[in-house]
Amino acid sequence: MIKFKKCEKTAAKDRTVFGGWEKRAILSSTAAREIAKSNDLDPETISITEFEEMAARLGYWRTR
């Protein structure tokens, strides 16, 4: 599970990344890496599957 920082600046950046991923402007691997960096996590610790599951729980759906 991804632990998000409780900071409005970080939350705004995370929303931008999730939104870009949802619109297919950002690849899943890039989005996962950016979320990890903005929340001071090791980018290698978040798998693409884990990122996509978290996005779905937060209400972001990537259309095909």
Side-chain angles (χ1 to χ4, degrees):
M1 181 155 163
I2 302 169
K3 291 215 167 226
F4 293 100
K5 288 173 75 178
K6 294 182 181 178
C7 171
E8 189 56 40
K9 184 178 178 183
T10 302
K13 185 175 180 181
D14 290 349
R15 282 191 296 272
T16 301
V17 171
F18 278 118
W21 170 81
E22 184 178 42
K23 294 175 185 169
R24 295 192 165 270
I26 301 173
L27 296 172
S28 296
S29 58
T30 304
R33 189 171 44 249
E34 289 301 315
I35 293 292
K37 284 181 187 176
S38 69
N39 288 285
D40 295 331
L41 301 171
D42 181 13
E44 301 300 319
T45 61
I46 298 177
S47 69
I48 294 172
T49 304
E50 181 181 15
F51 168 78
E52 291 174 347
E53 288 172 357
M54 182 59 67
R57 277 189 244 140
L58 294 172
Y60 294 96
W61 298 99
R62 193 166 195 182
T63 56
R64 294 189 180 234

